Amino acid sequence: KVSVAVGIFGTAIALSMFDVLPTTLAFLGAIIAYVFLGILPMRDLYKQIDWPVIVLLAAMMPLSQALRDTGCAELVANQMALSANSFPHWVIIAIVMGVTMCLSDVINNAATALIMAPIAVGIAIAMNLNPDPFLMSVAVGASCAFLTPIGHQCNALVLGPGGYRFGDYWRMGLPLEILILAIGTPLIMTFWPLA
């Protein structure tokens, strides 16, 4: 059934690539086809769902909404914008990315994005700038959890088999995050202008 599985997966990619279906629906359809054709047994489907991440995201969505509804995100954003007036704009984008990276090292990357996105938009609005580069800095920062083994499942996965210790992540992760900040900030400002 390998050729059938590859064909279904290729079809899902083609449907999303040519905008026939949204990516989420295309891949959901592929999973349903796998289940109906017996390629993926239902018991394996349930085993592969990362339930702690689902629960974490479900808990973080109301937190993100509460940050917006109570005005906390706006308050933090305004304070950052006020203190940022003496800095160049690229420094603010780097700070947003750096703070997002630090949060992503402790909590799930999707939850980090839910928390930081309204703050980033608030900073952009308070500074009368385009929010796109700020949101991109959140997206990049949330994807860079290299300092701890708990930041991402992949980090935890290699901890035991690789014989790594907690401190080993800092030695490689910190230079990598600095490199991403140094390269990512100018690239974001080039492809997503502030004005």
Side-chain angles (χ1 to χ4, degrees):
K1 294 186 180 179
V2 173
S3 58
V4 177
V6 170
I8 292 170
F9 190 67
T11 303
I13 291 173
L15 288 172
S16 63
M17 199 167 73
F18 294 113
D19 289 330
V20 176
L21 284 174
T23 306
T24 311
L25 287 178
F27 286 105
L28 184 62
I31 291 169
I32 292 170
Y34 281 177
V35 170
F36 280 126
L37 294 173
I39 297 169
L40 178 66
M42 279 298 275
R43 66 180 178 280
D44 291 346
L45 179 66
Y46 282 113
K47 282 181 191 173
Q48 295 304 318
I49 295 174
D50 197 350
W51 292 110
V53 172
I54 301 292
V55 171
L56 179 68
L57 286 176
M60 286 300 172
M61 283 179 192
L63 177 63
S64 175
Q65 188 66 43
L67 281 171
R68 288 192 296 268
D69 291 347
T70 60
C72 184
E74 188 180 350
L75 180 69
V76 171
N78 286 336
Q79 289 303 314
M80 283 186 73
L82 283 173
S83 61
N85 283 333
S86 56
F87 296 113
H89 295 153
W90 66 267
V91 172
I92 305 309
I93 289 189
I95 288 171
V96 168
M97 191 186 307
V99 169
T100 307
M101 283 178 176
C102 291
L103 271 177
S104 190
D105 287 319
V106 181
I107 60 174
N108 177 277
N109 56 352
T112 300
L114 280 170
I115 291 169
M116 285 301 295
I119 293 172
V121 170
I123 292 169
I125 290 169
M127 296 176 74
N128 292 320
L129 297 171
N130 180 12
D132 291 348
F134 291 89
L135 287 172
M136 282 309 299
S137 68
V138 168
V140 171
S143 303
C144 300
F146 306 128
L147 297 182
T148 64
I150 60 170
H152 196 270
Q153 301 94 311
C154 296
N155 296 6
L157 196 63
V158 298
L159 179 67
Y164 299 118
R165 293 186 311 265
F166 201 92
D168 293 335
Y169 288 84
W170 276 88
R171 282 198 290 275
M172 187 63 190
L174 189 59
L176 187 56
E177 287 195 3
I178 291 169
L179 184 67
I180 290 168
L181 272 171
I183 295 171
T185 302
L187 284 176
I188 286 171
M189 292 183 69
T190 301
F191 290 104
W192 290 274
L194 288 165

